[in-house]
Amino acid sequence: MRMNHTTIMLDCSLDLPVLLNFLPLPLVYSPKLSGLPRWQCKDPSIAVDLPEDIARLFRENVGHVFIESLPLFRLPETGLVDLSTVDALLLSNCFSALALPFLIEKYGFSGKIFATKPTVTFTKQLMEELSHYIYRAPPTDHSAQWKNDSLWSSLPDGTLKESSDFHNWKELYTMEGIQKAISRIQPISYSETIDLFHHVKVTALSSGFCLGSCNWIIETEYNKVAYISSSSTFTTHPCPMERARLKSADILIMSGLTNAPSANPDTMLAELCTRMAQTLKNGGNVLIPCYPTGVLYDLLECLKAYLDSANLSNVPVYFISPVAKSSLSFSNIFAEWLCDAKKTKVYLPEQPFPHAEFIKSGRLRHFPNIHGDLGSVYQTPCVVFTGHPSLRCGDSVHFMEAWGGSSKNAVIFTEPDFEYLHALAPYQPLHMKAYYFPIDPRLNFFVANKLLNEFAPRCLVTADSYLPSAAHSQKENVCLQPEMQYYGLTRGRAVTIPLDGKFQKIMLDPELASKLLPQEIFPGVSVTSVLGLLSSRNNQHTLAPLPPHHRPHTVGKLLWGELSIEAFVQALRDQHGIVDVVIEGTEEAKTLNILGGKATVLISPEKTTIRDCADDKLRAILRDLVFRLLVQV
Amino acid sequence: MAEIRAVPLGAGQDVGRSCILVSMGGKNIMLDCGMHMGFNDERRFPDFSYITDSGRSLTEHLDCVIISHFHLDHCGALPYFSEMCGYDGPIFMTHPTKAICPILLEDYRKITVDRKGEQNFFTSQMIKDCMKKVVTVNLHQAVKVDPDLEIKAYYAGHVLGAAMFQVKVHHQSIVYTIGVCYSRSAWIDKCRPDLLITESTYATTIRDSKRCRERDFLKKISECMERDGKVSKQHTSHPCPVDSLTASGPDPSVCSGKSSGAVYLTRDILASSPHSPHSHSYTLHTRERMNLLHPIYFSAGLTEKANHYYKLFISWTNQNIKNTFVQRNMFEFKHIKPFDRSYIDNPGPMVVFATPGMLHAGLSLQIFKKWAEDEKNMLIMPGYCVAGTVGHKILSGHKKIEIDKKMVTVRLSVQYMSFSAHADAKGIMQLIRQADPANVMLVHGEAAKMDFLRQKIMQEFGVHCYMPANGEMVSIATKPMISVDVSRSLLKRTQEQIHSPLAKKLCPVRGSATMSGLLVMRNEVRSLNTPEN
């Protein structure tokens, strides 16, 4: 967004669903995954030209084609602006910041970066987990050879073929890149106002989605832009969404609506608990592929209560992630970013999340990976939370392979970011049960529409896909129904929105101000002319008194008002005894002939001119009279 | 011309019962509401009749109350003020302050009412009701108390949750900096307030580095222990690292030895500073070298609870503690045991950390009475003591002290060692340089030392510096800038002159230009335009 000479980037996410196009990365050699049938190019004309070793990099299962290579990642659009000229980057939550190291390492991003303290912490954890998962397996040497246009065009129709920008997919960053990126972020608080070069001010407001998640207000002295990112009106663990300050913005940018608009999180959670209990009671294990932070905390809290009530309190729960320990620990020290019920717990003093208690009792155990201490305590049936939710890397790959063969076990998907049938495709045929209970507390269209009415912005900017189209039957729960002017966004295209930019702020020095004597020209309106010394520093302007002895001759007093001819003639007669005044001219402009041609005064609404006057004394009389009858400011 | 008025109701040329009234732009703000440790009569609380004598109630007069940190000399009068004097407006403090403050108030109430048997004091319920009026603030959060009054907290570092506050009303602003432990993390913008109100407890001190102080501290303890080597061996089975205790460093503590060669040491762990980067590993290391293997005790209850808060509010401590807490929580003391009153007469050397640090009541005083008369023992006073307290008398070298109508002869060795995280003279000067105020006001210190610092500030920064006594008003004229809308065309036209070849001729001041326009004032809107427009 470019506004008032400042270029601001709002979030920088990675397109993670792209991961689904790659073959899962097992920790050790997997006969099953490596034994998937090779994809056969159906187009004979291309098949002939293709080098054998490239075609071999694609495998096919149940109608999906997978690339057998180190997964690559799709970045935000980089061609639209020179990223090194961006002044500031605002990060709304830990899930929308994962492309940051790319910006810094590959695109010379040098602007300021702002995020709340929890966002900084959890962004780092998410990046570390992902990087760890991608790079822990032995490296494959054929990383990018599959980037072949003709081959791509012959792929079967489906998600993979549609990703035409595969040439720009990039290899993930390493720990070093993460460290460098994280250290650049300036941590901030909610409601802390940050001044960007005195051009714009930005403020983070709680968005209610996860720990430290926020929406942003970006404002100048005269205009206000509200940026709504992933937000939630559900009562979960974080601080509730702050709504008051989002109202009456000139522009409202709305993004990050739920990916599962038709699923109610509470219903899904109840279903999840039921299925989980059912599986456990039948002696099966439950795998929940998840991110190491966010909804997980609510899931753990819910799970604990449910297991107790379902008489399953002896079932162990394992949370396996390289950042498991720090995620659980950090969540308990961000009290001021939590909802009131949790916030007040620390005053007692108690840990805000019950998972601390869950761990203490030995029922929830966390491990950095599967090959360490887990083995010594592992018992079944059990519940395992582990990443990655795409089932393409991390320990979820291992559990899918280990548990997939038994119909007693179950995998329950809660992240709607990944299409679950696609996620399961490389593991087919599976005997294990698969459930999809998306828990996404972000705004759905129904709530978003209500909020739009509540916030009443002058205009709305949002993704094209959220807006009404022929495909949506104009119902309020399938798309946004803005009642104000709106602009749709698609990747790679800019929209221009006019803003009123007539004025700027200037500070009047008190010494200068004290010498001004405004005169009332209409009731409630006073004017005065101002002469001062302008200095502009850091985009701040001040007007100070002129230095002594410096009076520019070019400027004088200004006159205000309408000269009344009757009053002028009367004053000439009464004060100076001049009666010989002949009035000529039209309604608009009059000419006063004084003393038979000694002087002429032209009076029009715009100006008054004294002409043809050789007598200096008379001229002075006429001039002073005009001054007296008008307001000098 | 507008003005800002400030009156200390407490802490004017004194330490104790901090309470400063500030009036600016039609708003009245009270900074801190503390008790005085040196008094047990009505002088222990600020004199609120200063406000009520005007005929207005406290709630009518005051727009808000701001509490800088949880020490009782800054918040000890709150329940009295809100529940007994009837203040019903908002009270602002940080989260950790809100968490710990009621515990200290309850402890203070217990000592005063239950042990000393005083009547007409605030009750436990009043403390609870008072805390309901508290609004918490986050660091750097700009809190709008009302449309015109804005407050903002900055990290101060003195104790957990301690904050500096900036108060803004239109274009006037003040900064209140009590409990600032000057370090890289305790910073403030160059916000150029009209008035900066700062403490001056250590006005004339420039302290050694924290590390030196800690080494010194351990050396003193181990020397005291060595005076009775034969007993110490018995205790080698429970090695007790002093580690994080000393590492976390600041306020008061008392250390003394015992007839059998024990060392006891009291300190207000509550007062410990949340930041002390590397010292803990260092101290641990030192402990091993010095063979400090005797039992170490904490006064139980209060201190334990307080430590729990440190664990939950670890994000308010310094970055290093925070970064390592997942692996090793600095505030989990494995080897330090809670102290029981019955241990007072145990044989063998020991170290006891006990509160309160000024020895005016409680466990520290009780232990002192028992151990004072043996010269083998040692008392380490870790911080400032208010006049009138037993701690102050000890530090002033009194050899005979009357406690509870009994004379106690002080034979044990007394060491003074400042762990307090109050700003010293250097810190105060740095803070002033950072904030760049137009005026400075000193409170929370002794008159003579204050005057020294005052001269220094005026000399170095060329600003007015005040040190009012309690009830004495400081009035500062401010020149607020007036904000006006200027049309972009006029601004641009004028700015072009600056870069034009004729710039020198047009305006004598380099980098500036003469602007001529017409100011139009319509209702509250002021706009500066070209006359044609």
Side-chain angles (χ1 to χ4, degrees):
Chain A
M1 182 176 79
R2 193 170 285 151
M3 177 185 184
N4 204 21
H5 314 289
T6 313
T7 310
I8 298 175
M9 187 167 178
L10 306 170
D11 285 325
C12 62
S13 317
L14 271 189
D15 186 354
L16 289 176
V18 160
L19 268 177
L20 292 177
N21 298 314
F22 292 85
L23 208 61
L25 278 181
L27 193 54
V28 290
Y29 174 77
S30 157
K32 184 173 178 188
L33 292 171
S34 306
L36 287 181
R38 300 215 180 274
W39 168 69
Q40 299 295 326
C41 186
K42 304 286 187 303
D43 186 339
S45 65
I46 295 168
V48 168
D49 298 340
L50 272 183
E52 180 66 4
D53 55 332
I54 292 182
R56 280 161 47 108
L57 298 178
F58 289 83
R59 287 176 190 272
E60 190 173 10
N61 201 23
V62 292
H64 288 278
V65 175
F66 304 99
I67 307 163
E68 187 176 7
S69 142
L70 195 68
L72 301 189
F73 292 82
R74 189 169 177 237
L75 306 195
E77 190 58 50
T78 50
L80 219 51
V81 279
D82 177 356
L83 292 176
S84 65
T85 64
V86 173
D87 296 303
L89 166 61
L90 310 181
L91 299 174
S92 306
N93 59 69
C94 54
F95 298 100
S96 63
L98 294 185
L100 179 61
F102 288 111
L103 295 197
I104 289 172
E105 289 196 310
K106 299 207 190 315
Y107 296 95
F109 179 88
S110 58
K112 299 180 175 207
I113 308 168
F114 300 98
T116 63
K117 281 174 209 160
T119 299
V120 178
T121 301
F122 295 115
T123 297
K124 179 161 179 266
Q125 293 183 5
L126 281 174
M127 287 176 179
E128 282 176 354
E129 190 196 54
L130 191 59
S131 177
H132 185 87
Y133 283 158
I134 296 292
Y135 292 117
R136 69 177 181 175
T140 42
D141 54 349
H142 38 246
S143 56
Q145 294 173 36
W146 50 266
K147 290 183 174 179
N148 181 308
D149 284 308
S150 57
L151 185 143
W152 204 264
S153 60
S154 68
L155 285 173
D157 291 339
T159 38
L160 187 53
K161 196 178 179 181
E162 281 151 28
S163 319
S164 56
D165 63 344
F166 63 92
H167 280 291
N168 294 329
W169 294 3
K170 296 267 187 300
E171 247 176 70
L172 194 70
Y173 35 77
T174 58
M175 292 296 171
E176 197 190 341
I178 297 172
Q179 198 54 47
K180 221 157 96 190
I182 293 292
S183 65
R184 288 274 306 275
I185 307 178
Q186 183 180 328
I188 55 158
S189 289
Y190 288 149
S191 299
E192 173 177 354
T193 300
I194 293 142
D195 200 327
L196 291 177
F197 324 107
H198 297 295
H199 277 317
V200 294
K201 287 187 172 130
V202 296
T203 312
L205 303 175
S206 175
S207 80
F209 167 54
C210 64
L211 260 173
S213 70
C214 64
N215 294 321
W216 298 89
I217 298 286
I218 303 138
E219 56 197 334
T220 65
E221 294 284 355
Y222 303 96
N223 296 113
K224 172 162 138 182
V225 177
Y227 168 52
I228 297 187
S229 176
S230 303
S231 301
S232 176
T233 51
F234 282 98
T235 312
T236 56
H237 61 273
C239 251
M241 178 179 183
E242 191 182 335
R243 282 144 76 157
R245 290 183 65 186
L246 295 171
K247 284 182 189 162
S248 43
D250 295 291
I251 298 169
L252 179 82
I253 305 172
M254 191 173 240
S255 77
L257 301 188
T258 177
N259 276 331
S262 55
N264 177 303
D266 289 331
T267 323
M268 291 295 118
L269 191 59
E271 293 257 353
L272 181 148
C273 287
T274 321
R275 293 295 181 189
M276 182 187 63
Q278 209 175 27
T279 309
L280 292 171
K281 280 183 178 157
N282 289 336
N285 301 304
V286 178
L287 171 66
I288 304 182
C290 64
Y291 290 117
T293 181
V295 175
L296 173 77
Y297 306 131
D298 296 311
L299 280 178
L300 287 175
E301 184 166 356
C302 224
L303 200 69
K304 179 175 186 284
Y306 190 81
L307 288 176
D308 288 345
S309 69
N311 226 355
L312 288 163
S313 46
N314 55 340
V315 172
V317 179
Y318 303 119
F319 172 25
I320 302 158
S321 160
V323 297
K325 189 178 182 189
S326 56
S327 162
L328 293 174
S329 308
F330 271 103
S331 64
N332 263 328
I333 64 158
F334 286 122
E336 60 264 43
W337 307 85
L338 292 171
C339 63
D340 278 343
K342 294 215 174 336
K343 204 185 278 177
T344 43
K345 276 201 161 181
V346 295
Y347 299 145
L348 294 176
E350 278 171 21
Q351 308 251 32
F353 281 101
H355 58 235
E357 203 44 50
F358 207 16
I359 294 169
K360 228 178 183 176
S361 64
R363 288 167 56 197
L364 169 64
R365 319 193 65 144
H366 52 80
F367 301 94
N369 48 48
I370 48 169
H371 44 78
D373 299 334
L374 175 64
S376 57
V377 296
Y378 181 70
Q379 66 184 70
T380 54
C382 62
V383 181
V384 168
F385 287 89
T386 189
H388 188 271
S390 64
L391 302 186
R392 292 299 179 267
C393 56
D395 293 314
S396 59
V397 176
H398 168 84
F399 285 99
M400 281 308 294
E401 292 212 278
W403 292 353
S406 165
S407 59
K408 278 185 169 181
N409 299 331
V411 54
I412 306 181
F413 292 87
T414 58
E415 291 296 341
D417 293 7
F418 307 97
E419 211 257 298
Y420 84 106
L421 289 174
H422 194 180
L424 288 172
Y427 301 96
Q428 298 290 4
L430 274 175
H431 294 289
M432 148 190 237
K433 292 192 182 66
Y435 301 104
Y436 176 60
F437 300 130
I439 300 176
D440 189 338
R442 289 177 289 178
L443 306 178
N444 59 30
F445 290 112
F446 181 74
V447 180
N449 278 323
K450 279 212 309 202
L451 290 181
L452 274 186
N453 286 336
E454 179 183 325
F455 299 154
R458 210 159 52 79
C459 72
L460 168 76
V461 177
T462 193
D464 258 344
S465 56
Y466 291 161
L467 286 168
S469 69
H472 308 120
S473 50
Q474 304 286 315
K475 277 195 211 142
E476 82 171 338
N477 48 6
V478 295
C479 65
L480 292 178
Q481 304 271 299
E483 283 166 19
M484 63 288 300
Q485 191 185 8
Y486 62 83
Y487 299 83
L489 289 176
T490 40
R491 183 165 173 145
R493 210 184 65 217
V495 294
T496 307
I497 301 161
L499 280 176
D500 177 30
K502 238 177 105 187
F503 289 108
Q504 253 181 295
K505 284 282 172 206
I506 191 169
M507 302 306 277
L508 229 52
D509 182 281
E511 197 188 322
L512 176 67
S514 67
K515 291 195 179 115
L516 298 176
L517 298 168
Q519 302 190 42
E520 193 168 64
I521 51 163
F522 302 118
V525 180
S526 311
V527 295
T528 181
S529 59
V530 175
L531 189 61
L533 193 67
L534 170 79
S535 51
S536 303
R537 244 175 230 118
N538 297 329
N539 304 317
Q540 281 181 311
H541 315 289
T542 48
L543 201 57
L546 288 178
H549 315 301
H550 177 72
R551 288 277 150 209
H553 49 269
T554 51
V555 265
K557 284 266 179 185
L558 298 164
L559 294 172
W560 187 285
E562 205 174 328
L563 191 63
S564 152
I565 294 170
E566 291 74 48
F568 189 75
V569 174
Q570 194 187 343
L572 273 179
R573 187 182 61 224
D574 297 353
Q575 291 165 25
H576 304 285
I578 301 172
V579 286
D580 181 5
V581 179
V582 181
I583 304 171
E584 296 166 341
T586 61
E587 196 62 29
E588 288 290 284
K590 303 262 188 210
T591 308
L592 275 60
N593 236 316
I594 295 160
L595 294 173
K598 267 192 159 173
T600 310
V601 181
L602 298 173
I603 302 175
S604 73
E606 285 82 37
K607 56 179 175 184
T608 300
T609 318
I610 301 167
R611 218 168 63 184
D612 306 333
C613 183
D615 182 346
D616 280 350
K617 214 174 149 199
L618 179 61
R619 177 183 280 274
I621 288 170
L622 292 172
R623 187 196 60 201
D624 290 346
L625 201 53
V626 170
F627 280 5
R628 239 181 298 141
L629 291 171
L630 290 173
V631 183
Q632 277 190 65
V633 294
Chain B
M1 217 59 4
E3 61 171 7
I4 295 177
R5 282 169 312 192
V7 189
L9 297 187
Q13 301 180 4
D14 186 16
V15 175
R17 58 166 178 176
S18 284
C19 184
I20 298 137
L21 285 181
V22 176
S23 304
M24 55 199 281
K27 304 285 167 189
N28 296 303
I29 301 111
M30 183 190 275
L31 304 170
D32 279 337
C33 188
M35 56 78 100
H36 201 297
M37 309 212 189
F39 299 114
N40 282 320
D41 51 22
E42 76 284 350
R43 285 173 297 170
R44 68 178 154 215
F45 294 143
D47 182 9
F48 300 119
S49 65
Y50 184 93
I51 302 170
T52 47
D53 280 353
S54 67
R56 297 175 78 190
S57 77
L58 291 173
T59 315
E60 280 167 352
H61 181 79
L62 290 172
D63 292 279
C64 73
V65 174
I66 293 170
I67 302 295
S68 62
H69 62 285
F70 62 62
H71 275 164
L72 287 172
D73 55 334
H74 296 267
C75 69
L78 259 188
Y80 168 76
F81 172 71
S82 73
E83 303 311 306
M84 300 172 82
C85 301
Y87 172 73
D88 209 19
I91 301 166
F92 291 94
M93 54 177 81
T94 63
H95 290 270
T97 308
K98 186 184 174 183
I100 298 170
C101 172
I103 301 177
L104 292 187
L105 287 169
E106 180 56 28
D107 191 57
Y108 172 43
R109 188 200 65 82
K110 265 197 200 136
I111 290 170
T112 315
V113 178
D114 299 354
R115 300 224 185 106
K116 294 187 188 157
E118 277 194 49
Q119 310 281 314
N120 197 22
F121 203 70
F122 53 78
T123 64
S124 298
Q125 189 56 43
M126 285 178 183
I127 299 174
K128 288 195 185 106
D129 292 340
C130 167
M131 295 319 288
K132 283 183 193 144
K133 296 174 184 173
V134 170
V135 183
T136 50
V137 296
N138 285 338
L139 294 179
H140 301 162
Q141 177 191 4
V143 180
K144 289 257 181 218
V145 180
D146 63 38
D148 299 325
L149 174 59
E150 186 184 290
I151 63 175
K152 185 173 173 184
Y154 290 85
Y155 179 85
H158 171 42
V159 292
L160 189 70
M164 306 183 246
F165 280 90
Q166 182 190 32
V167 182
K168 262 200 268 191
V169 180
H170 299 300
H171 292 289
Q172 294 181 321
S173 71
I174 64 151
V175 167
Y176 180 54
T177 67
I178 292 281
V180 176
C181 176
Y182 193 84
S183 70
R184 245 185 324 168
S185 24
W187 59 271
I188 192 155
D189 314 300
K190 203 171 204 62
C191 55
R192 301 196 169 90
D194 296 299
L195 174 65
L196 179 124
I197 303 175
T198 177
E199 68 183 316
S200 40
T201 325
Y202 293 96
T204 54
T205 326
I206 291 166
R207 282 170 299 170
D208 314 327
S209 77
K210 187 162 226 145
R211 186 169 280 207
C212 294
R213 273 178 278 148
E214 273 165 13
R215 188 171 45 217
D216 209 21
F217 170 72
L218 284 165
K219 204 167 139 224
K220 281 175 183 170
I221 294 178
S222 85
E223 277 166 8
C224 180
M225 297 276 205
E226 277 162 16
R227 277 177 238 157
D228 201 335
K230 62 182 192 299
V231 200
S232 63
K233 278 184 190 133
Q234 291 171 3
H235 294 276
T236 47
S237 50
H238 347 261
C240 310
V242 189
D243 68 305
S244 0
L245 267 182
T246 50
S248 48
D251 249 42
S253 68
V254 188
C255 173
S256 103
K258 203 178 150 0
S259 47
S260 47
V263 177
Y264 106 76
L265 182 145
T266 61
R267 80 187 285 278
D268 185 353
I269 191 66
L270 282 168
S272 58
S273 156
H275 56 76
S276 62
H278 323 284
S279 37
H280 100 88
S281 55
Y282 165 78
T283 319
L284 190 67
H285 188 73
T286 318
R287 178 195 69 83
E288 278 156 9
R289 217 177 49 225
M290 290 185 172
N291 201 24
L292 208 63
L293 298 170
H294 305 279
I296 298 176
Y297 297 111
F298 254 20
S299 61
L302 188 61
T303 327
E304 267 178 315
K305 212 167 180 183
N307 249 326
H308 205 95
Y309 284 112
Y310 271 85
K311 278 188 253 173
L312 288 173
F313 287 111
I314 209 139
S315 59
W316 287 75
T317 61
N318 82 20
Q319 199 58 37
N320 270 330
I321 302 179
K322 198 170 124 188
N323 287 347
T324 56
F325 97 104
V326 176
Q327 275 66 47
R328 187 187 174 286
N329 196 327
M330 175 101 169
F331 296 101
E332 263 163 26
F333 305 119
K334 286 199 187 106
H335 304 288
I336 292 175
K337 291 167 286 184
F339 186 75
D340 186 279
R341 276 167 210 275
S342 65
Y343 298 170
I344 292 187
D345 294 316
N346 278 6
M350 64 175 109
V351 179
V352 179
F353 289 76
T355 53
M358 299 193 195
L359 290 173
H360 54 282
L363 183 65
S364 58
L365 186 62
Q366 196 184 354
I367 300 176
F368 174 76
K369 278 193 289 183
K370 282 270 189 182
W371 295 358
E373 307 209 338
D374 190 325
E375 73 276 2
K376 281 207 288 273
N377 296 338
M378 179 166 76
L379 169 73
I380 299 183
M381 300 290 289
Y384 184 82
C385 284
V386 166
T389 59
V390 173
H392 186 262
K393 285 177 197 154
I394 297 169
L395 281 182
S396 320
H398 291 223
K399 286 297 163 208
K400 294 234 176 238
I401 296 170
E402 193 189 308
I403 303 170
D404 297 341
K405 303 195 177 70
K406 249 184 75 188
M407 291 308 284
V408 174
T409 316
V410 183
R411 290 210 186 85
L412 84 178
S413 80
V414 175
Q415 301 287 343
Y416 177 76
M417 189 167 295
S418 171
F419 278 104
S420 170
H422 279 287
D424 59 6
K426 205 168 132 199
I428 295 168
M429 299 303 271
Q430 263 166 309
L431 197 72
I432 295 174
R433 191 167 298 119
Q434 238 177 12
D436 194 15
N439 297 277
V440 176
M441 174 171 148
L442 300 177
V443 293
H444 202 276
E446 288 161 20
K449 289 181 186 173
M450 263 182 176
D451 198 49
F452 171 82
L453 183 65
R454 183 175 155 260
Q455 300 297 339
K456 214 174 138 188
I457 290 170
M458 294 202 291
Q459 215 171 39
E460 190 158 339
F461 300 105
V463 298
H464 281 290
C465 185
Y466 306 86
M467 42 174 281
N470 285 338
E472 188 185 328
M473 183 186 291
V474 167
S475 178
I476 290 154
T478 60
K479 289 202 268 173
M481 292 292 230
I482 295 152
S483 160
V484 169
D485 294 336
V486 63
S487 81
R488 278 182 196 260
S489 53
L490 175 61
L491 186 66
K492 206 173 160 201
R493 198 167 76 185
T494 314
Q495 279 175 328
E496 273 162 9
Q497 289 178 29
I498 299 177
H499 307 291
S500 84
L502 294 170
K504 242 186 187 158
K505 208 174 148 198
L506 290 167
C507 179
V509 185
R510 260 191 72 190
S512 299
T514 315
M515 182 186 256
S516 161
L518 187 69
L519 182 72
V520 181
M521 295 158 69
R522 187 193 301 260
N523 304 323
E524 290 300 297
V525 183
R526 292 178 286 259
S527 59
L528 190 57
N529 230 315
T530 53
E532 305 89 80
N533 284 342

